[in-house]
Amino acid sequence: MIKVGINGYGTIGKRVADAVSKQDDMEIVGVTKTRPTWEAKNAIKAGYKLFCGIPDNVNNFKEAGIELAGDINDLLGQCDIMIDCSPKKIGAENLEKYYKPQGIKAIYQGAVKHDAIGESFNAQSNYDSAKGKQNVRVVSCNTTGLSRVLGALDKAYGVKKARVVLVRRASDPGSSKSGPVDGIVPNPITVPSHHGPDVLTVLPKLNIVTSAFKVSSTFMHAHSLMIELDKEVSAEEVKELFKKTPRLLMVNSSEGLTSTAELMEFARDFGRPRYDMYENLVWEDSIGVEGNELYFFQAVPQESIVIPENIDCIRAMCSDVSAEESMEKTNKTLGIK
Ligand code: NAD
């Protein structure tokens, strides 16, 4: 069993913890919280040992009557690998402060810059590159969504160039910290945006340019993709390719799934915990071709799309399991068809 610790039991951390618990080759040793919040209490209720992510804050937990199993240093000593799910760029600080001095492997999330870690990961694109590495970053939700479709298209037909407009949700549903509450914000204002270069960290040969807006929604990101392929293909061929590609789910506006709002209700009815969707949701009836140009829309469920990737990344770094075997196992345990 691979012994896994989660540093930062927030939106991504709690989902990774639950997904690890579903695998038969890995187990959660414990999770961290930095403050004695409701999520700290819920972690214990969920059966996880709770450690304090900032050693100086241990007393705050005692005062709140929350029992700790120790602090981050105690957790590190018991794990084969840490999944750093702290916010923003804190993961890069944790690398220097904790993981490197202790010589422990660690996985980081999208907000940590590729350059700080040196290796980025998407299971379908570059699973084997993570083998033997001490530090690997699972790319962001948007980059994961783009890598899956662009990787599949490049392999099947060759992508001459990809141009993508991203429409990003303002905040996660459980957060009141960021906006806009109303408005459509070019974000970043610079074109191209950083999303294209981030895709290159896992698909280095791709010709890709991206730009992005932030909008007053919490549900999902949406992408408008315009792709020049190396050869002419029909819309039907692309649909068949996407149906065979793992972690893509085709949805149809003709069935009433006309926006991310309906997709969220679809996700709620899907029956997974926290109404998580691990797949890109590709609008099948948006897929169109003009000569060798391909156009389509997809939605990216930001809170959950990177969860299977974290599980595969653990196997890539800590076992001899192949990419195909790992993805199949992850898909089966998480209920991905
Ligand atoms: P979050 O704010 O929901 O959770 C972060 C957790 O880390 C919280 O529990 C917080 O208490 C804890 N934390 C704060 N400071 C810490 C420290 N110094 N050490 C350890 N833990 C600390 O954030 P999130 O949305 O889960 O994002 C985590 C990472 O995942 C970021 O890199 C983010 O870019 C990436 N990510 C987020 C999403 C998303 O949509 N939420 C999608 C893909 C990737």
Short mmCIF file of all heavy atoms in Angstrom, two decimals, residues 65-93:
data_model
loop_
_atom_site.label_atom_id
_atom_site.label_comp_id
_atom_site.label_asym_id
_atom_site.label_seq_id
_atom_site.Cartn_x
_atom_site.Cartn_y
_atom_site.Cartn_z
N GLY A 65 -11.30 22.49 20.78
CA GLY A 65 -11.74 21.14 21.17
C GLY A 65 -11.62 20.13 20.04
O GLY A 65 -12.33 19.12 20.03
N ILE A 66 -10.73 20.40 19.08
CA ILE A 66 -10.55 19.45 17.96
C ILE A 66 -9.27 18.65 18.19
O ILE A 66 -8.19 19.22 18.36
CB ILE A 66 -10.48 20.19 16.61
CG1 ILE A 66 -11.83 20.89 16.35
CG2 ILE A 66 -10.16 19.22 15.47
CD1 ILE A 66 -11.87 21.66 15.05
N GLU A 67 -9.42 17.33 18.20
CA GLU A 67 -8.28 16.46 18.52
C GLU A 67 -7.37 16.28 17.30
O GLU A 67 -7.84 15.91 16.21
CB GLU A 67 -8.79 15.10 18.98
CG GLU A 67 -7.73 14.34 19.73
CD GLU A 67 -8.28 13.02 20.27
OE1 GLU A 67 -9.45 12.97 20.65
OE2 GLU A 67 -7.51 12.06 20.27
N LEU A 68 -6.09 16.55 17.50
CA LEU A 68 -5.11 16.38 16.41
C LEU A 68 -4.30 15.10 16.63
O LEU A 68 -4.05 14.71 17.77
CB LEU A 68 -4.15 17.56 16.38
CG LEU A 68 -4.70 18.93 15.95
CD1 LEU A 68 -3.65 20.00 16.17
CD2 LEU A 68 -5.13 18.91 14.49
N ALA A 69 -3.85 14.52 15.51
CA ALA A 69 -2.93 13.37 15.62
C ALA A 69 -1.48 13.86 15.60
O ALA A 69 -0.55 13.06 15.67
CB ALA A 69 -3.18 12.42 14.46
N GLY A 70 -1.27 15.18 15.48
CA GLY A 70 0.08 15.75 15.45
C GLY A 70 0.10 16.94 14.50
O GLY A 70 -0.95 17.45 14.11
N ASP A 71 1.31 17.36 14.12
CA ASP A 71 1.39 18.43 13.12
C ASP A 71 1.99 17.86 11.83
O ASP A 71 2.30 16.66 11.74
CB ASP A 71 2.14 19.66 13.65
CG ASP A 71 3.63 19.40 13.88
OD1 ASP A 71 4.20 18.52 13.20
OD2 ASP A 71 4.23 20.06 14.75
N ILE A 72 2.17 18.72 10.86
CA ILE A 72 2.64 18.30 9.54
C ILE A 72 3.92 17.45 9.59
O ILE A 72 4.05 16.48 8.85
CB ILE A 72 2.82 19.56 8.61
CG1 ILE A 72 3.46 19.22 7.26
CG2 ILE A 72 3.61 20.66 9.26
CD1 ILE A 72 2.54 18.76 6.23
N ASN A 73 4.81 17.79 10.51
CA ASN A 73 6.06 17.03 10.60
C ASN A 73 5.82 15.59 11.01
O ASN A 73 6.49 14.67 10.53
CB ASN A 73 7.02 17.72 11.59
CG ASN A 73 7.48 19.05 11.05
OD1 ASN A 73 8.05 19.12 9.97
ND2 ASN A 73 7.19 20.12 11.79
N ASP A 74 4.84 15.36 11.90
CA ASP A 74 4.50 13.99 12.31
C ASP A 74 3.90 13.22 11.13
O ASP A 74 4.17 12.04 10.93
CB ASP A 74 3.48 14.01 13.46
CG ASP A 74 4.03 14.77 14.66
OD1 ASP A 74 5.14 14.44 15.09
OD2 ASP A 74 3.36 15.71 15.13
N LEU A 75 3.08 13.91 10.33
CA LEU A 75 2.46 13.25 9.18
C LEU A 75 3.51 12.86 8.14
O LEU A 75 3.50 11.73 7.62
CB LEU A 75 1.41 14.18 8.56
CG LEU A 75 0.70 13.68 7.30
CD1 LEU A 75 -0.03 12.37 7.55
CD2 LEU A 75 -0.28 14.73 6.77
N LEU A 76 4.43 13.77 7.88
CA LEU A 76 5.47 13.51 6.86
C LEU A 76 6.24 12.23 7.16
O LEU A 76 6.55 11.45 6.25
CB LEU A 76 6.46 14.68 6.81
CG LEU A 76 5.97 15.98 6.19
CD1 LEU A 76 6.98 17.09 6.42
CD2 LEU A 76 5.69 15.81 4.71
N GLY A 77 6.51 12.01 8.45
CA GLY A 77 7.29 10.84 8.85
C GLY A 77 6.61 9.51 8.57
O GLY A 77 7.26 8.46 8.58
N GLN A 78 5.30 9.55 8.30
CA GLN A 78 4.55 8.30 8.10
C GLN A 78 4.14 8.05 6.65
O GLN A 78 3.47 7.07 6.35
CB GLN A 78 3.27 8.33 8.95
CG GLN A 78 3.50 8.53 10.44
CD GLN A 78 2.19 8.76 11.18
OE1 GLN A 78 1.22 8.03 10.97
NE2 GLN A 78 2.14 9.76 12.04
N CYS A 79 4.50 8.98 5.74
CA CYS A 79 3.97 8.88 4.36
C CYS A 79 5.06 8.56 3.33
O CYS A 79 6.22 8.92 3.49
CB CYS A 79 3.34 10.22 3.96
SG CYS A 79 1.92 10.64 4.95
N ASP A 80 4.63 7.90 2.24
CA ASP A 80 5.50 7.71 1.08
C ASP A 80 5.43 8.92 0.16
O ASP A 80 6.37 9.22 -0.57
CB ASP A 80 5.06 6.48 0.27
CG ASP A 80 5.16 5.20 1.09
OD1 ASP A 80 6.16 5.04 1.80
OD2 ASP A 80 4.20 4.39 1.04
N ILE A 81 4.26 9.57 0.16
CA ILE A 81 4.07 10.71 -0.74
C ILE A 81 3.05 11.68 -0.13
O ILE A 81 2.09 11.24 0.52
CB ILE A 81 3.62 10.23 -2.15
CG1 ILE A 81 3.58 11.39 -3.14
CG2 ILE A 81 2.28 9.50 -2.11
CD1 ILE A 81 3.58 10.96 -4.60
N MET A 82 3.31 12.98 -0.34
CA MET A 82 2.36 14.01 0.11
C MET A 82 1.66 14.58 -1.11
O MET A 82 2.31 14.85 -2.14
CB MET A 82 3.10 15.15 0.82
CG MET A 82 3.67 14.79 2.17
SD MET A 82 2.44 14.31 3.39
CE MET A 82 1.54 15.84 3.63
N ILE A 83 0.36 14.80 -1.01
CA ILE A 83 -0.36 15.50 -2.06
C ILE A 83 -0.61 16.90 -1.51
O ILE A 83 -1.41 17.07 -0.58
CB ILE A 83 -1.71 14.83 -2.42
CG1 ILE A 83 -1.58 13.31 -2.47
CG2 ILE A 83 -2.26 15.38 -3.73
CD1 ILE A 83 -0.58 12.79 -3.45
N ASP A 84 0.12 17.87 -2.05
CA ASP A 84 -0.02 19.24 -1.57
C ASP A 84 -1.22 19.88 -2.25
O ASP A 84 -1.21 20.11 -3.46
CB ASP A 84 1.27 20.04 -1.85
CG ASP A 84 1.25 21.35 -1.11
OD1 ASP A 84 0.40 22.20 -1.44
OD2 ASP A 84 2.05 21.53 -0.17
N CYS A 85 -2.23 20.18 -1.47
CA CYS A 85 -3.46 20.79 -2.01
C CYS A 85 -3.68 22.13 -1.34
O CYS A 85 -4.83 22.55 -1.13
CB CYS A 85 -4.66 19.87 -1.80
SG CYS A 85 -4.49 18.26 -2.55
N SER A 86 -2.60 22.80 -0.98
CA SER A 86 -2.70 24.12 -0.37
C SER A 86 -3.01 25.14 -1.47
O SER A 86 -2.82 24.86 -2.64
CB SER A 86 -1.39 24.47 0.34
OG SER A 86 -0.32 24.46 -0.58
N PRO A 87 -3.50 26.33 -1.08
CA PRO A 87 -3.89 27.30 -2.12
C PRO A 87 -2.71 28.04 -2.74
O PRO A 87 -1.62 28.08 -2.18
CB PRO A 87 -4.77 28.29 -1.33
CG PRO A 87 -4.37 28.14 0.09
CD PRO A 87 -3.78 26.78 0.28
N LYS A 88 -3.00 28.63 -3.89
CA LYS A 88 -2.05 29.48 -4.62
C LYS A 88 -0.67 28.83 -4.76
O LYS A 88 -0.58 27.67 -5.13
CB LYS A 88 -1.98 30.87 -3.97
CG LYS A 88 -3.38 31.49 -3.84
CD LYS A 88 -3.34 32.99 -3.76
CE LYS A 88 -4.73 33.57 -3.97
NZ LYS A 88 -5.51 33.73 -2.79
N LYS A 89 0.39 29.63 -4.42
CA LYS A 89 1.74 29.11 -4.66
C LYS A 89 2.37 28.53 -3.41
O LYS A 89 3.59 28.30 -3.35
CB LYS A 89 2.63 30.22 -5.22
CG LYS A 89 2.18 30.59 -6.63
CD LYS A 89 2.65 31.95 -7.04
CE LYS A 89 1.89 32.37 -8.29
NZ LYS A 89 1.94 33.80 -8.53
N ILE A 90 1.55 28.29 -2.36
CA ILE A 90 2.10 27.82 -1.08
C ILE A 90 2.81 26.48 -1.24
O ILE A 90 3.78 26.19 -0.54
CB ILE A 90 0.99 27.75 0.00
CG1 ILE A 90 0.52 29.17 0.34
CG2 ILE A 90 1.47 27.03 1.26
CD1 ILE A 90 -0.65 29.25 1.28
N GLY A 91 2.35 25.68 -2.19
CA GLY A 91 2.98 24.38 -2.44
C GLY A 91 4.48 24.50 -2.67
O GLY A 91 5.27 23.68 -2.18
N ALA A 92 4.88 25.55 -3.41
CA ALA A 92 6.31 25.74 -3.70
C ALA A 92 7.07 26.03 -2.41
O ALA A 92 8.22 25.61 -2.25
CB ALA A 92 6.48 26.87 -4.71
N GLU A 93 6.41 26.75 -1.47
CA GLU A 93 7.05 27.02 -0.17
C GLU A 93 7.14 25.72 0.65
O GLU A 93 8.15 25.44 1.30
CB GLU A 93 6.26 28.06 0.61
CG GLU A 93 6.23 29.43 -0.03
CD GLU A 93 5.15 30.34 0.56
OE1 GLU A 93 4.68 30.07 1.69
OE2 GLU A 93 4.78 31.29 -0.12
#
